[in-house]
């Protein structure tokens, strides 16, 4: 290709948006090492740290979401949207991208709207089974819409949809650790069934409460647990655990940096039902109990979870029922060889590998004038 490829990627707010965005950028770079990639995110959101850490330049917009509780505050929100649109136009005019990618989140709205108005072809990537507001608004202006679930014609023009799956963190798939090495890295013993409990990098209050209320079961179950509390809740949880005798089969940590090792160590995972996490479970064929967060737009995590439950590919516990049911179900399931084999086999069938590479190929095609 004669001209240097220039791609803008926009969106973020959560790891579920950022991990796919970085994976797509990496896949573009693998195909076109000289490509210039610029991210556009929202100031104050996690992409402003995570993207530079992944080796990419990012520009921040002052955009934020509407406040549904205090309507007066939305005067400021409207001003920030107007300012973000002006800033996005300046960024796009200076960078001159040949194609734009939107992964959802506040910043992708003004960025991709600006690109579409300037005739720059756009691709959006929707991670969830229930489309986000920003992506639904951008759909008419996009050339391609890459999705991970069936039935997305409810939200998007059918002729633009490609079922590609969600890009995941490549390190999870590349880990060479054995199960024994992984367990050893957490100070746990080989030969015992192991449950991994995760609630995202910040944590999940209900999942944490479900463990705290059943420490006696954890101790007496004959099962090992790796418990990522999340940084937000860790100090309070460690304080509460001081009042309970030490449980050798319980490894408590605020954050797990090597999730590849954690998944390799686990026979069963307890997790929220974010789209990126689910894609990871599918690719590694890991049995999972999903506890959807009730605090997300359009209750999309429940819809993500039920899409798996309908195919007997995951178990599901409502957030409100988790303190009473979750730990008992986990212990019962992790000791059931047939259940683990069935769930692991069924979730593996839903895997869509090479998602990042397929999406990167489409982005490059758009940039080179293929519509």
């Amino acid at each position: 290709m004669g001209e240097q490829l220039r791609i803008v990627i926009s969106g973020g707010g959560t790891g579920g948006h950022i991990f796919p965005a970085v994976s797509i950028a990496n896949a573009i770079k693998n195909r076109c090492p000289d490509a210039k990639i610029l991210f556009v995110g929202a100031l104050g959101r996690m992409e402003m740290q995570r993207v530079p850490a992944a080796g990419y330049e990012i520009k921040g917009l002052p955009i934020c979401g509407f406040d549904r509780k205090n309507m007066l505050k939305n005067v400021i929100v409207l001003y920030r949207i107007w300012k973000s649109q002006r800033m996005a136009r300046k960024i796009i005019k200076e960078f001159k991208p040949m194609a734009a990618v939107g992964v959802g989140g506040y910043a992708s709205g003004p960025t991709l709207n600006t690109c579409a108005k300037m005739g720059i072809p756009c691709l959006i990537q929707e991670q969830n089974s229930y489309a986000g507001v920003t992506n639904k608004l951008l759909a008419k202006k996009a050339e391609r819409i890459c999705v991970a679930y069936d039935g997305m014609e409810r939200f998007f023009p059918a002729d633009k949809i490609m079922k590609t799956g969600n890009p995941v963190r490549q390190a999870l798939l590349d880990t060479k650790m054995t199960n024994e090495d992984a367990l050893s890295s957490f100070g746990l013993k080989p030969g015992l069934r192991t449950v991994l409990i995760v609630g995202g990098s910040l944590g999940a209050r209900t999942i944490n409460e479900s463990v705290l209320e059943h420490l006696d079961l954890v101790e007496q179950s004959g099962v090992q647990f790796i418990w990522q509390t999340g940084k937000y809740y860790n100090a309070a949880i460690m304080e509460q655990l001081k009042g309970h005798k030490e449980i050798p089969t319980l490894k408590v940590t605020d954050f797990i940096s090597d999730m590849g090792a954690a998944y390799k160590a686990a026979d069963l995972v307890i997790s929220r039902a974010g789209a990126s996490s689910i894609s990871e479970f599918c690719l590694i064929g890991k049995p999972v109990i999903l506890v959807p967060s009730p605090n997300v737009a359009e209750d999309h995590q429940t819809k993500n979870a039920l899409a798996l439950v309908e195919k007997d590919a995951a178990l599901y516990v409502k957030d409100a029922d988790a303190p009473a049911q979750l730990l008992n179900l986990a212990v019962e399931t992790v000791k059931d060889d047939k259940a683990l084999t069935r769930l692991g086999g069924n979730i593996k069938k839903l895997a869509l590998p090479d998602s990042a590479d397929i999406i990167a190929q489409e982005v490059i095609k758009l940039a080179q004038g293929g519509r």
Side-chain angles (χ1 to χ4, degrees):
M1 185 172 68
E3 193 178 356
Q4 183 186 36
L5 194 69
R6 293 184 311 282
I7 306 295
V8 68
I9 301 178
S10 187
T14 66
H17 292 313
I18 297 163
F19 293 141
V22 170
S23 296
I24 293 166
N26 291 341
I28 292 170
K29 279 284 194 181
N30 284 340
R31 285 178 167 268
C32 302
D34 295 334
K36 192 162 175 54
I37 297 174
L38 176 68
F39 280 75
V40 179
L43 290 170
R45 306 290 285 186
M46 68 165 69
E47 59 264 28
M48 300 309 295
Q49 285 77 45
R50 295 284 180 91
V51 168
Y56 294 100
E57 182 186 358
I58 186 167
K59 303 276 190 185
L61 303 179
I63 193 162
C64 60
F66 283 99
D67 190 324
R68 293 173 187 177
K69 294 178 182 175
N70 187 338
M71 297 308 289
L72 286 175
K73 287 186 178 178
N74 289 325
V75 175
I76 298 170
V77 174
L78 289 169
Y79 170 73
R80 287 186 171 188
I81 291 171
W82 174 80
K83 187 176 181 183
S84 294
Q85 287 170 338
R86 286 177 62 90
M87 288 175 66
R89 183 167 180 81
K90 185 172 185 288
I91 290 166
I92 299 306
K93 285 181 78 172
E94 288 175 358
F95 183 65
K96 297 182 175 64
M98 299 153 75
V101 180
V103 295
Y106 300 135
S108 61
T111 305
L112 266 74
N113 265 324
T114 299
C115 287
K117 285 176 184 174
M118 295 172 71
I120 297 159
C122 299
L123 177 149
I124 59 176
Q125 198 259 328
E126 174 55 59
Q127 298 92 32
N128 291 292
S129 61
Y130 195 95
V133 173
T134 303
N135 278 347
K136 281 192 279 189
L137 291 172
L138 290 170
K140 289 180 182 177
K141 298 168 184 178
E143 302 287 339
R144 301 274 194 287
I145 302 169
C146 297
V147 302
Y149 291 89
D150 293 325
M152 299 303 284
E153 300 84 4
R154 292 176 294 159
F155 310 108
F156 304 129
D159 59 332
K160 296 182 178 183
I161 293 174
M162 287 184 67
K163 190 178 176 186
T164 59
N166 288 323
V168 303
R169 295 170 283 185
Q170 194 61 36
L172 300 179
L173 308 178
D174 292 344
T175 183
K176 299 293 189 289
M177 269 193 176
T178 64
N179 173 259
E180 286 192 9
D181 289 340
L183 286 168
S184 177
S185 73
F186 288 99
L188 296 173
K189 294 178 182 178
L192 282 182
R193 291 291 166 90
T194 304
V195 176
L196 169 65
I197 303 166
V198 287
S201 56
L202 294 178
R205 181 176 56 83
T206 310
I207 292 177
N208 288 338
E209 287 175 355
S210 302
V211 182
L212 285 170
E213 291 180 21
H214 295 279
L215 290 173
D216 290 340
L217 174 61
V218 169
E219 184 179 10
Q220 296 160 17
S221 64
V223 172
Q224 298 180 129
F225 292 83
I226 302 168
W227 179 15
Q228 179 185 277
T229 62
K231 293 184 177 180
Y232 184 80
Y233 298 100
N234 188 254
I237 286 170
M238 297 310 289
E239 192 62 35
Q240 284 180 266
L241 290 175
K242 286 180 183 176
H244 196 284
K245 67 178 180 178
E246 187 179 346
I247 304 173
T249 53
L250 177 64
K251 169 69 177 178
V252 185
T253 180
D254 65 337
F255 180 73
I256 298 170
S257 56
D258 188 350
M259 284 304 297
Y263 287 152
K264 185 67 77 170
D267 298 289
L268 175 72
V269 181
I270 292 171
S271 172
R272 288 303 200 191
S276 289
S277 296
I278 286 176
S279 293
E280 291 171 358
F281 303 141
C282 291
L283 284 163
I284 60 178
K286 190 61 63 176
V288 61
I289 301 174
L290 298 170
V291 186
S293 170
N295 306 312
V296 294
E298 310 285 358
D299 197 24
H300 69 252
Q301 286 202 5
T302 296
K303 296 174 176 75
N304 290 348
L306 292 177
L308 269 68
V309 172
E310 286 166 6
K311 294 181 169 73
D312 194 23
L315 300 178
Y316 156 63
V317 174
K318 284 184 180 178
D319 187 80
D321 297 336
Q325 298 176 9
L326 182 57
L327 262 288
N328 282 300
L329 178 61
V331 170
E332 178 187 313
T333 305
V334 81
K335 291 181 176 181
D336 185 337
D337 289 348
K338 288 183 179 177
L340 292 179
T341 301
R342 186 185 78 249
L343 291 168
N346 287 344
I347 200 168
K348 184 83 172 171
K349 291 175 189 173
L350 304 179
L352 292 167
D354 306 318
S355 298
D357 198 49
I358 294 166
I359 295 168
Q361 193 174 343
E362 289 302 311
V363 175
I364 293 167
K365 198 188 296 180
L366 288 176
Q368 293 174 337
R371 299 289 176 99

